[in-house]
Amino acid sequence: MTVETLLAEYQALKSQLNYHSYRYYVLDDPQLPDAEYDRLMQRLQDIELQQPAWVTADSPSQRVGAEPLSAFSQVTHAVPMLSLDNAFDEQDMLDFNKRLQDRLKSKDDIEFACEPKLDGIAVSLLYRDGLLVQAATRGDGAIGEDITANVRTIGSVPLRLQGEGFPPLLEVRGEIYMPRAGFDLLNDKARERGEKTFVNPRNAAAGSLRQLDPKITASRPLQFCCYNVGLVEGGELPERHTDVLQALSGWGFLINAEMRAVHGVQACLAYFAELGEKRQGLSYDIDGIVFKVNHRTLQQQLGFVARAPRWAIAHKFPAQEEMTQLLDVEFQVGRTGAITPVARLEPVFVGGVTVSNATLHNRDEIERLGVMVGDTVIVRRAGDVIPQVASVIVSKRPVDARPVVFPSLCPVCESPVVQVEGEAAVRCSGGSVCPAQVKEGIKHYVSRKALDVDGLGDKLVEQLVDEGLVASIADLYHLHERREQLLALERMGEKSADNLLAAIETSKSTSLAKFLFGLGMREVGETTARSLAAHFGKLDALIKASHEDLIAIDDIGPVSAASIVAFFADAKQLEQVRALQAAGVTWPEHEPVAKDALLLAGQTWVLTGSLETLSRDEAKEKLLALGAKVAGSVSAKTQMVVAGPGAGSKLAKAQALGIEVLDEAGLLEKFKHWGVS
């Protein structure tokens, strides 16, 4: 091969790999299998070994990380990176809108660009003739740190811009953040190695960017999403800010799929409420919404104050983290006997509610945090997630702080506490003699996703156990024999009692999957219960299954298999199962169904928006029964999206990727065609 031919191959490989990185990291729509991408990369690296002088900054091989730095150099921003003023409630937004209208001398509705405010690190990327030449942190707004070597390792940062029409000198600004799934995986690996974990995704992203060794940054799951431009020389950008972002998308950048242009402040408030509801379902953390006047000529007319643009504001969600004092630690017993430490806190308003309790997870977590009773702690709450103690402010520790001591006996039944080797949890050994485990087991059995006994809430379950009306799950089906005692309970009238007994009777007719889930076996969630029911078809076949039989099933590993075998080998557990059957709990049995024989086997479906004839759970249940995987996000691997009223970014992404979309009527028609009732 001549040098000219080799060079042509090398240039083609660079173009191919940069294009496929864009498809993978930005569009989430890969067109090559990983193995083929790896093969192309290996060939590129082989050529670079032969011709090291050919290696340039835009080579895909440079993403793996350069040599470690001794320190970060400073970068002066040609255009300062200003901060934003904040709005904390509706009135702040109305005041912001009035200031804009007053300065513009107009009462007309203003068009705003709405973008989720990613909870990450603001950075600046500088491109000359389409080539990335510099990346810097915001710093103090005037001077930041040069993090070019680290930013090159991030897959969603184009090393060379795509397409055409971009200015010869273009500064792109955006946020580097860590998606939640990547953050969880990073912390899981840190725990396995006995290393300190990160407090939250933002801290993880900041720590990853400030590594002197770029190879460490390269190993972290970081993303870059652009939200604006800074210095621009030569060429022209569109008039509307949202169109600028679309142009950046065409040049190879990731932009936020939730971005939207709206007219008027009331539409901004509606968008804020909509994203507030979606917030916990997003794959990344946001702490508010940024609203920007969408027309750049109006932005220029409005100008800046000392530290912030007049034309933009960040409407913040209620704080997710706050500081408070740990007053005491109590211990709760769960349905599997796991003993969980619960922090009793000085009440604090966080995440939109007043929090006085938070989980400390287990003994290992207490040791990792180094927390003591009396400490000042940071409490985190996200949506409906149980509040947790995130970190300790050791500098505020009082002299009378005392260690957290785990009990050696169960705090409820005083049975010995045990810890299985390899498990973080310590457990009460009392089993069915422990009232706490009995209560939690019944609560799980009657829950909506298990036997779904309407009207049997947590407080009533506790009453039934405390008053001696039930001592096991099976006793629920004999409550009709104790109707008079039931009526004697506080707030239990004739109608309430009859409704409860009727709901319990109705629950006798169920499915094997729901029954297995309701039993509360460790390591057996909804999906595993459904897999077991489909694979075995009959309860007795499952009871007789060996460890080898179980691990042969998709989604069931050695730990789950061992737990299932141990459950049915326990005489007391098997006795309870038989007692439930004797009480009349039944389900349709069938011959085993091979997973790949199901109609939708291997397909991924996504449900978005609201459904009217079916609930989302009902639709999901039917799709799962047909063998489909029901995912929470749309990707290139999605076969079908079912979109009801209120569908937002998932529908938009499906349309952008050319994925087939059904409305509810279309889904019902398919169910009818498939014979699903």
Side-chain angles (χ1 to χ4, degrees):
M1 183 179 290
T2 65
V3 172
E4 291 77 10
T5 306
L6 187 64
L7 179 60
E9 182 190 0
Y10 177 64
Q11 297 289 6
L13 282 167
K14 283 172 56 177
S15 296
Q16 279 182 281
L17 286 164
N18 278 327
Y19 171 74
H20 288 296
S21 288
Y22 169 71
R23 302 290 312 187
Y24 184 88
Y25 290 107
V26 178
L27 298 186
D28 191 21
D29 183 22
Q31 292 185 336
L32 280 185
D34 290 349
E36 178 64 13
Y37 182 91
D38 293 342
R39 187 188 68 75
L40 294 175
M41 178 65 81
Q42 185 59 56
R43 176 59 181 156
L44 180 89
Q45 291 172 327
D46 289 345
I47 295 174
E48 290 182 344
L49 283 173
Q50 296 175 46
Q51 301 288 344
W54 291 356
V55 181
T56 54
D58 65 331
S59 171
S61 66
Q62 300 308 291
R63 290 201 189 277
V64 299
E67 291 303 308
L69 304 170
S70 58
F72 293 108
S73 58
Q74 290 190 332
V75 171
T76 300
H77 299 298
V79 177
M81 292 185 71
L82 302 178
S83 56
L84 294 174
D85 285 336
N86 293 323
F88 295 101
D89 54 30
E90 181 176 326
Q91 188 59 51
D92 287 345
M93 283 296 298
L94 295 174
D95 291 345
F96 167 66
N97 184 66
K98 185 176 186 304
R99 289 195 300 272
L100 296 178
Q101 290 181 327
D102 288 348
R103 186 165 285 271
L104 293 172
K105 296 180 172 58
S106 171
K107 296 297 182 183
D108 293 341
D109 280 345
I110 296 168
E111 183 180 62
F112 290 98
C114 316
E115 301 166 51
K117 187 176 181 297
L118 295 167
D119 198 9
I121 310 302
V123 297
S124 157
L125 309 180
L126 188 64
Y127 289 82
R128 291 187 187 275
D129 298 321
L131 184 69
L132 176 65
V133 295
Q134 180 181 279
T137 61
R138 178 182 177 276
D140 64 2
I143 298 174
E145 291 180 317
D146 188 332
I147 53 170
T148 309
N150 287 346
V151 167
R152 286 189 189 282
T153 70
I154 300 172
S156 50
V157 172
L159 301 177
R160 179 178 288 278
L161 300 183
Q162 297 188 21
E164 55 188 25
F166 45 80
L169 185 66
L170 174 65
E171 180 193 356
V172 179
R173 293 177 174 179
E175 203 87 358
I176 288 178
Y177 64 99
M178 188 174 290
R180 290 172 183 165
F183 169 74
D184 291 339
L185 185 60
L186 183 66
N187 270 351
D188 288 344
K189 289 180 178 178
R191 290 188 191 98
E192 289 172 8
R193 295 191 295 263
E195 298 172 356
K196 184 178 180 182
T197 55
F198 288 100
V199 173
N200 54 45
R202 187 186 188 283
N203 286 0
S208 300
L209 276 184
R210 299 205 76 258
Q211 295 292 327
L212 292 174
D213 184 353
K215 289 184 174 65
I216 296 177
T217 307
S219 71
R220 303 282 174 80
L222 298 172
Q223 282 274 35
F224 172 78
C225 180
C226 66
Y227 57 64
N228 210 342
V229 295
L231 180 66
V232 178
E233 291 183 0
E236 286 194 7
L237 295 176
E239 160 64 13
R240 296 167 78 242
H241 172 75
T242 46
D243 292 336
V244 172
L245 293 183
Q246 291 297 341
L248 290 170
S249 175
W251 295 330
F253 292 97
L254 176 68
I255 61 175
N256 197 292
E258 302 289 345
M259 178 189 69
R260 191 183 306 167
V262 303
H263 285 83
V265 68
Q266 291 302 325
C268 289
L269 293 170
Y271 178 90
F272 181 83
E274 178 187 334
L275 263 290
E277 292 180 3
K278 281 187 180 181
R279 184 182 182 188
Q280 300 312 317
L282 298 175
S283 61
Y284 45 83
D285 282 354
I286 62 174
D287 57 4
I289 305 297
V290 176
F291 296 105
K292 303 171 184 173
V293 173
N294 203 23
H295 285 266
R296 296 170 66 231
T297 52
L298 293 183
Q299 292 180 6
Q300 293 166 5
Q301 186 177 337
L302 288 162
F304 303 82
V305 291
R307 53 177 287 279
R310 289 193 178 96
W311 43 265
I313 199 164
H315 191 178
K316 304 295 284 288
F317 291 122
Q320 300 276 95
E321 293 184 346
E322 287 291 353
M323 192 167 62
T324 189
Q325 187 178 21
L326 175 62
L327 303 177
D328 200 359
V329 175
E330 297 176 3
F331 297 90
Q332 294 181 345
V333 183
R335 64 182 171 82
T336 64
I339 295 177
T340 303
V342 177
R344 302 304 183 197
L345 306 166
E346 184 68 37
V348 61
F349 193 74
V350 54
V353 300
T354 299
V355 170
S356 55
N357 303 318
T359 181
L360 285 163
H361 297 292
N362 52 47
R363 183 154 54 191
D364 289 353
E365 181 71 359
I366 287 174
E367 291 175 0
R368 185 190 71 78
L369 288 169
V371 66
M372 299 177 72
V373 175
D375 273 341
T376 297
V377 297
I378 292 175
V379 179
R380 181 189 305 137
R381 180 183 183 273
D384 294 328
V385 177
I386 298 169
Q388 61 180 339
V389 174
S391 59
V392 177
I393 303 175
V394 179
S395 61
K396 291 181 173 287
R397 176 167 288 162
V399 292
D400 60 347
R402 64 182 192 277
V404 178
V405 180
F406 253 73
S408 58
L409 299 177
C410 171
V412 176
C413 70
E414 298 189 341
S415 296
V417 165
V418 296
Q419 184 167 17
V420 177
E421 187 176 350
E423 286 191 3
V426 297
R427 300 180 188 276
C428 162
S429 62
S432 59
V433 305
C434 178
Q437 291 187 58
V438 172
K439 289 176 181 177
E440 295 305 316
I442 294 173
K443 290 174 187 177
H444 177 76
Y445 180 84
V446 303
S447 64
R448 184 172 56 84
K449 293 182 179 180
L451 276 289
D452 192 17
V453 180
D454 189 36
L456 188 45
D458 290 357
K459 288 185 178 179
L460 182 52
V461 168
E462 293 188 9
Q463 271 188 293
L464 293 173
V465 175
D466 290 342
E467 296 298 324
L469 272 70
V470 298
S472 70
I473 295 171
D475 285 347
L476 291 173
Y477 295 103
H478 299 282
L479 266 178
H480 63 281
E481 301 165 9
R482 300 183 172 186
R483 188 171 182 278
E484 292 306 315
Q485 291 171 270
L486 185 61
L487 287 169
L489 293 178
E490 186 180 353
R491 291 186 166 183
M492 182 62 71
E494 295 264 359
K495 187 173 182 180
S496 298
D498 290 341
N499 288 342
L500 174 62
L501 294 173
I504 292 172
E505 185 67 23
T506 299
S507 74
K508 287 182 179 180
S509 179
T510 187
S511 68
L512 179 55
K514 285 182 174 290
F515 180 75
L516 294 175
F517 177 63
L519 290 177
M521 290 180 273
R522 288 171 59 190
E523 307 295 336
V524 177
E526 283 184 274
T527 302
T528 301
R530 196 174 289 108
S531 296
L532 290 170
H535 184 84
F536 290 101
K538 300 177 181 179
L539 178 62
D540 284 346
L542 171 58
I543 290 172
K544 295 172 185 175
S546 66
H547 188 274
E548 290 70 26
D549 295 332
L550 290 163
I551 59 174
I553 305 171
D554 285 349
D555 308 325
I556 296 182
V559 174
S560 298
S563 177
I564 295 162
V565 170
F567 181 89
F568 289 115
D570 185 322
K572 288 182 179 178
Q573 299 289 11
L574 192 55
E575 181 183 347
Q576 175 168 258
V577 169
R578 297 308 188 197
L580 288 165
Q581 289 181 290
V585 180
T586 60
W587 51 85
E589 293 195 330
H590 56 78
E591 293 304 312
V593 178
K595 190 172 182 180
D596 57 6
L598 293 170
L599 190 64
L600 301 182
Q603 295 191 22
T604 300
W605 287 51
V606 172
L607 300 169
T608 182
S610 58
L611 301 180
E612 296 169 356
T613 304
L614 290 175
S615 69
R616 289 270 290 271
D617 283 343
E618 288 171 330
K620 178 180 177 181
E621 194 71 32
K622 293 177 188 295
L623 290 168
L624 290 169
L626 290 164
K629 175 185 176 183
V630 180
S633 60
V634 175
S635 75
K637 297 177 182 177
T638 304
Q639 270 73 37
M640 187 78 72
V641 171
V642 179
S649 61
K650 293 176 186 176
L651 174 59
K653 187 170 184 180
Q655 292 168 333
L657 294 175
I659 294 166
E660 187 176 351
V661 177
L662 286 176
D663 59 12
E664 185 176 6
L667 176 65
L668 292 172
E669 186 60 34
K670 282 193 176 291
F671 283 154
K672 182 179 178 182
H673 177 71
W674 293 331
V676 177
S677 57

